[in-house]
Amino acid sequence: MTKPEGLPDHIQHYIGGELVDSVSGETFDVLDPTTNEPYITCAAGDKADVDKAVAAARKAFDEGPWPRMLPRERATYLYKIADEVTKMHERLAARESFDSGLPIRQASGQAKRAAENFRFFADLIVAQIDDAFKMPGRQINYVNRKPKGVAGLITPWNTPFMQESWKLGPALASGCTVVLKPAEFTPLSAGLWVEVMENAGIPEGVFNIVHGMGETAGDALVKHEDVNLISFTGEAATGRVIFGNCAPTMKSMSMELGGKSPAIVFADCDFEAALDSTLFGVFSLNGERCTASSRILVERPIYDKFVEAYAERAKKVKVGEPSNPDTEIAALVHPSHYEKVMDYIEIGKSEARLVAGGKRPEHLPVGNYVEATVFADVAKDARIFQEEIFGPVVAITPFDTEEEAIELANAVEYGLAAYVWTSNITRAHRVSHEIEAGMVWINSHNVRDLRTPFGGVKASGLGQEGGYRSLEFYSIQQAIHVCLGDVHTTRFGASGYADNDLGLGGPGA
């Protein structure tokens, strides 16, 4: 695939307003997923680089203007960031597609989504209302909201720029300063944030980037004593490590981890709509999406019809180069991930019935390409039913009763998203309430309002972000109590107070 114009030869960290290499001088190669050949080098950060970045962020927080701005002033900066992101729409899409293997037709919306995240949180901080409580004549109590401090943001390699905006928007809106650690597989588009922040006039040290491996740069960021909170998106196994490493410094954590999301398709559904949505839900973004409907549970009366129709459509899904506007599935992000997905396909062949795909497309002998792959008759104890594959692979399983559908939906360790397809609205609500998932869509794929909570349960994560919940995560809510009159205080150490005068507070205390 042809390189986008204007690519740098080397990617650097951004610390305290300057582009810098690693203290150690170490670098790593970034691979083109269509050839698996190195096309650029990137600075490989470690503890020394994280120390520098956190020091810059800490100085900007403790001494700089950013945390002390009025909401309207910070919002003005966020609008400028959004405008700068919008300007680079085509350049961002080309880089994101080239670096991650995302089809260009799907990468083209990333700038719009990222810009909207900043505009949304700019609006939210201006409109935000905090509580006040009165005890007439005695006391007024109010909430003083303050930014928590230095935020460590660790982002994934799927739709990396948009995912970075998802964390940067509320963190900066809340008044935090940040250190961003992008995914090592896809560092290219993160470099565009430097241009964005500088053109928007963000004060020095408010925004910092350290590139590198999770085991070095990410680990150092999580363990750093001057980092007040960690927002992480990635695998459940990594999330468990981060959970333990945050404990010694008592950091706040928000973790959006893996998923194995079910789509429950009842016989009374809109068949074509359910078919369209579940195909898109697992094969868009190359199947590399945490909310993918990778388990489809289909009611027995329509099961055979659904499997046949699904397999027929999957065989027609266009696999091709990321830059081709007709491509629907392109190259997986990295050869190690490609090998993982192909290993799961081989496992699936021994566990279930392969009805579509299952191999590399013949016309693409080089690169991380795999056909849209569909397994039917998948048992709930099968590995392809239980484990997150994170690729264009789907498992279809029949069910006979509503109770069985719910049991199958909940029979995995994950609980991020779920989808319910039925024309019976009462059943749709009833089933949705019984599913162990942080988010459920009824008769839809995951079209999301930014005001709603985003997050999962069980092994899919801790905490929820989205809307005001994001601002609450990045903020301290301090209760201030102001006396409006005389306060009766039991006089310890003085004589003469009554035995029943315990001084334990009155109503509302």
Side-chain angles (χ1 to χ4, degrees):
M1 189 169 76
T2 304
K3 280 187 185 181
E5 294 182 2
L7 291 189
D9 296 323
H10 176 62
I11 299 172
Q12 296 176 290
H13 311 304
Y14 185 69
I15 298 174
E18 296 182 356
L19 288 167
V20 296
D21 280 319
S22 296
V23 172
S24 67
E26 292 293 317
T27 65
F28 63 92
D29 290 331
V30 184
L31 306 183
D32 172 355
T34 67
T35 65
N36 290 326
E37 295 295 326
Y39 77 91
I40 200 171
T41 60
C42 183
D46 58 21
K47 185 178 184 302
D49 306 292
V50 169
D51 286 346
K52 289 176 60 180
V54 173
R58 174 54 59 189
K59 181 178 180 181
F61 186 82
D62 291 343
E63 303 175 17
W66 191 255
R68 295 159 188 85
M69 290 180 182
L70 294 174
R72 175 67 70 184
E73 188 176 2
R74 272 204 303 274
T76 300
Y77 279 101
L78 265 64
Y79 295 137
K80 291 178 182 177
I81 291 172
D83 291 342
E84 292 296 325
V85 169
T86 302
K87 289 177 187 176
M88 59 175 58
H89 166 74
E90 292 185 3
R91 188 154 52 111
L92 168 61
R95 290 193 181 194
E96 198 83 313
S97 178
F98 183 83
D99 194 32
S100 69
L102 189 68
I104 189 66
R105 65 191 291 184
Q106 296 167 39
S108 63
Q110 298 305 304
K112 181 178 179 181
R113 285 283 305 275
E116 178 59 22
N117 283 331
F118 284 95
R119 293 193 179 103
F120 173 80
F121 285 106
D123 293 340
L124 209 59
I125 57 170
V126 173
Q128 184 170 249
I129 298 173
D130 284 315
D131 294 321
F133 308 93
K134 289 198 305 180
M135 299 172 66
R138 300 175 61 184
Q139 193 177 72
I140 185 169
N141 311 273
Y142 67 91
V143 175
N144 176 40
R145 186 180 296 266
K146 304 190 295 183
K148 279 185 180 174
V150 176
L153 311 179
I154 304 176
T155 52
W157 44 257
N158 60 322
T159 61
F161 193 86
M162 192 279 291
Q163 298 258 20
E164 289 153 9
S165 75
W166 202 340
K167 298 181 188 297
L168 287 168
L172 294 176
S174 298
C176 291
T177 57
V178 303
V179 178
L180 171 66
K181 208 296 283 184
E184 57 266 30
F185 286 173
T186 53
L188 181 63
S189 62
L192 294 173
W193 287 117
V194 176
E195 178 183 334
V196 166
M197 298 298 173
E198 290 189 346
N199 288 347
I202 302 303
E204 181 181 301
V206 170
F207 170 77
N208 306 272
I209 299 178
V210 176
H211 294 282
M213 304 297 128
E215 297 84 354
T216 51
D219 186 66
L221 187 61
V222 169
K223 292 177 178 176
H224 204 291
E225 292 185 355
D226 272 343
V227 173
N228 302 97
L229 57 99
I230 293 290
S231 179
F232 169 75
T233 300
E235 294 182 341
T238 306
R240 291 184 176 98
V241 174
I242 290 174
F243 186 97
N245 287 338
C246 283
T249 50
M250 298 295 286
K251 286 180 174 62
S252 298
M253 288 180 295
S254 177
M255 296 197 290
E256 192 265 284
L257 307 177
K260 192 70 175 177
S261 301
I264 301 177
V265 182
F266 287 97
D268 65 348
C269 72
D270 181 328
F271 187 90
E272 291 301 322
L275 189 66
D276 288 343
S277 185
T278 51
L279 280 156
F280 178 82
V282 74
F283 296 133
S284 59
L285 306 182
N286 298 339
E288 297 166 327
R289 57 188 309 165
C290 55
T291 56
S293 51
S294 54
R295 294 183 298 138
I296 305 178
L297 314 177
V298 183
E299 195 169 13
R300 188 82 63 179
I302 63 167
Y303 178 76
D304 291 339
K305 176 185 176 183
F306 187 91
V307 169
E308 181 180 356
Y310 199 95
E312 181 182 354
R313 287 277 296 275
K315 291 173 184 176
K316 297 176 182 177
V317 171
K318 295 177 181 177
V319 184
E321 286 199 347
S323 58
N324 186 334
D326 293 328
T327 292
E328 294 171 315
I329 293 177
L332 302 188
V333 68
H334 192 271
S336 64
H337 183 60
Y338 172 79
E339 290 170 8
K340 171 192 169 185
V341 172
M342 294 306 292
D343 286 346
Y344 269 112
I345 289 174
E346 291 306 309
I347 291 168
K349 290 176 182 178
S350 67
E351 293 182 323
R353 176 165 58 100
L354 179 67
V355 295
K359 62 184 186 302
R360 171 190 290 278
E362 293 181 1
H363 66 288
L364 295 165
V366 178
N368 305 320
Y369 296 101
V370 60
E371 295 173 331
T373 298
V374 183
F375 289 99
D377 308 339
V378 182
K380 75 173 183 179
D381 59 350
R383 289 185 63 186
I384 61 169
F385 187 96
Q386 291 289 329
E387 299 174 20
E388 184 178 41
I389 299 172
F390 218 65
V393 182
V394 65
I396 307 180
T397 302
F399 69 87
D400 291 297
T401 65
E402 180 180 310
E403 292 73 20
E404 184 185 8
I406 294 168
E407 191 274 331
L408 287 169
N410 295 339
V412 299
E413 67 170 335
Y414 297 103
L416 185 59
Y419 308 85
V420 178
W421 287 90
T422 177
S423 61
N424 184 329
I425 195 64
T426 302
R427 175 165 60 188
H429 285 283
R430 183 172 63 242
V431 171
S432 297
H433 294 173
E434 293 298 319
I435 295 175
E436 295 169 350
M439 301 168 287
V440 181
W441 280 267
I442 296 173
N443 297 332
S444 171
H445 55 273
N446 59 338
V447 178
R448 180 174 161 264
D449 188 315
L450 293 179
R451 294 171 294 182
T452 59
F454 187 100
V457 298
K458 302 194 292 189
S460 288
L462 289 172
Q464 291 177 312
E465 297 188 39
Y468 282 116
R469 293 163 185 83
S470 291
L471 298 185
E472 289 172 1
F473 173 66
Y474 291 101
S475 302
I476 296 168
Q477 296 179 62
Q478 182 183 43
I480 305 292
H481 307 275
V482 182
C483 178
L484 300 179
D486 292 336
V487 177
H488 176 74
T489 305
T490 300
R491 301 181 64 222
F492 276 30
S495 60
Y497 61 86
D499 291 340
N500 63 352
D501 185 7
L502 299 178
L504 298 180

